[in-house]
Amino acid sequence: MQLKYVGPKPIISHTGIEFDNNKEDKYNYLNIVVQLLKALDHEYFDNKTYVYQSDTSRFSPDELFAELKRYCPNIDSLMEKANHSIEEEIEHQLQRAHDNCVLNNVDKEVLENNINIMHDYMIQRSINKAVYYCAVNALAELLKKGKIDHIIVPMFQKFTHVLHSVQGTLKAQKYPVETKLDIYKENGVLLVKLQLLNIR
């Protein structure tokens, strides 16, 4: 198993396969998460501001995997679990298609074929998603551990998406961390600020 980009969420039916471009493959955000992890993974001193120049170059797939393994040591078992879980889901979808009372036999066969065509695609998306959330959890833990009260990133869609994921992770913890996300302009540049309001 490996990490690689596949594409947006497929919508599979007996009439064909479409893609929901609003549900992008989480692989798209892994480079940003790793950059943020690397930027925040160091010792902190009180009342000091740290600046990290985000690198626009992308990691190679091997570099990306190596960096992610540092923050998600269980990445191999995580990928295996995601693979197993989506295999069961695909089997369930195939069974539902086979048992469908509304479709005729030809439409059932087309639906089953479309699901089978997208088999590897769906598995890869599931693996990418599992690894992404592992990395986001690691990022949330770094923020808490370093008692970082805010981070500021460029107002790019990928950075904002990652910060939204971090917000969700922090909110879902046993002791939820309240956060606030603001968009503002400084020196003509749009920025996004994530504040951790009740960090312990």
Side-chain angles (χ1 to χ4, degrees):
M1 273 180 284
Q2 59 180 328
L3 290 173
K4 64 178 182 180
Y5 177 79
V6 280
K9 182 179 180 179
I11 302 165
I12 304 166
S13 72
H14 68 283
T15 59
I17 302 164
E18 296 178 11
F19 297 91
D20 183 349
N21 290 318
N22 293 320
K23 304 276 182 161
E24 188 51 87
D25 184 351
K26 295 298 184 192
Y27 182 88
N28 238 4
Y29 306 102
L30 286 175
N31 198 62
I32 299 298
V33 181
V34 169
Q35 281 191 42
L36 290 171
L37 282 164
K38 286 172 69 74
L40 297 171
D41 191 10
H42 57 81
E43 293 296 320
Y44 289 91
F45 300 97
D46 287 343
N47 302 317
K48 179 163 171 43
T49 300
Y50 292 86
V51 177
Y52 173 80
Q53 190 60 46
S54 64
D55 188 355
T56 53
S57 64
R58 296 184 67 79
F59 295 102
S60 72
D62 289 342
E63 290 169 333
L64 188 62
F65 189 83
E67 289 295 336
L68 285 163
K69 200 167 178 73
R70 286 180 56 211
Y71 298 101
C72 298
N74 64 333
I75 193 169
D76 294 309
S77 62
L78 196 68
M79 291 166 77
E80 197 66 50
K81 186 177 176 186
N83 180 38
H84 180 71
S85 177
I86 197 70
E87 284 282 10
E88 286 183 352
E89 173 61 26
I90 291 168
E91 281 304 313
H92 179 67
Q93 287 180 25
L94 286 168
Q95 190 61 50
R96 280 183 56 209
H98 181 75
D99 296 342
N100 191 305
C101 298
V102 178
L103 300 178
N104 63 40
N105 287 338
V106 173
D107 286 344
K108 282 184 190 182
E109 188 178 341
V110 170
L111 178 54
E112 288 173 33
N113 285 340
N114 287 343
I115 292 168
N116 283 322
I117 287 168
M118 297 308 291
H119 176 272
D120 293 351
Y121 187 100
M122 289 188 285
I123 286 175
Q124 189 63 56
R125 273 183 56 88
S126 180
I127 288 169
N128 294 347
K129 183 177 180 179
V131 171
Y132 170 76
Y133 280 108
C134 181
V136 165
N137 283 330
L139 184 54
E141 287 306 313
L142 266 181
L143 291 170
K144 284 172 58 182
K145 180 182 158 194
K147 292 187 166 47
I148 299 166
D149 62 10
H150 73 274
I151 58 174
I152 300 169
V153 297
M155 173 54 193
F156 298 138
Q157 186 269 339
K158 288 181 184 176
F159 277 104
T160 307
H161 181 93
V162 169
L163 293 189
H164 274 294
S165 296
V166 171
Q167 270 190 304
T169 298
L170 289 168
K171 188 176 183 180
Q173 295 195 344
K174 185 177 179 182
Y175 300 105
V177 177
E178 293 292 318
T179 58
K180 184 180 175 191
L181 203 62
D182 288 318
I183 298 169
Y184 67 99
K185 204 171 197 176
E186 190 174 280
N187 300 326
V189 178
L190 275 175
L191 300 168
V192 181
K193 181 178 187 178
L194 174 67
Q195 289 179 274
L196 282 70
L197 304 174
N198 64 328
I199 197 143
R200 292 169 177 259

